Amino acid sequence: MSDDVLSVIPTDPHWQPEQTAAERAASIVEDLAPGLPDGVDVEIGVTWHDTLTAVDCGENLQKIGCPHCGASIDIEWWASLLEAHCDEGFATLAVVVPCCGTATSLDVLDYDWPCGFARFEIAIWNPERGSATMN
């Protein structure tokens, strides 16, 4: 069985909250995250990353689109990029897309499943998602 992870990240990938704000945000997420069917709470992790880190959707990603020319970007290009930065993160999100050679930012590409970049993340492991919660 694979794990499902629901990540909450800031809209500004460079931003990190102070400890008390992070604890409040994690508390709110914990209140919103439904527990497991047997009454066990879900696991929630709060992480500050030293550098910009990819928060990707793993195997759920099927397509990436270029916001400039509309072409599809090869998933292998994306996978190679993630692999090259998996240990040390990203110093910058600036990139030249292979489809049209336009300089852009990784966080503005059109991902068909949510992906992002962050220096702060709240991760909810294996949340049960009911019809009225966290849709």
Side-chain angles (χ1 to χ4, degrees), residues 10 26 37-38 44 46 59 79 82 84-85 89 96 100-101 121:
D38 56 2
I44 296 177
V46 177
E59 294 179 4
L82 287 184
H85 293 90
V96 174
C100 61
E121 175 183 8

Side-chain angles (χ1 to χ4, degrees), residues 13 24 32 43 57 63 67 72 88-89 92 94-95 100 103 116 121 134:
R24 284 193 312 268
L32 293 173
E43 179 182 340
C57 61
K63 186 174 113 179
S72 289
E88 298 184 19
T92 178
V95 68
C100 61
E121 175 183 8
M134 302 189 85

Side-chain angles (χ1 to χ4, degrees), residues 54-91:
V55 181
D56 73 313
C57 61
E59 294 179 4
N60 290 321
L61 184 63
Q62 299 298 311
K63 186 174 113 179
I64 302 171
C66 176
H68 303 285
C69 71
S72 289
I73 296 173
D74 185 18
I75 296 290
E76 290 303 316
W77 174 83
W78 168 251
S80 295
L81 194 62
L82 287 184
E83 186 174 326
H85 293 90
C86 69
D87 291 333
E88 298 184 19
F90 291 82

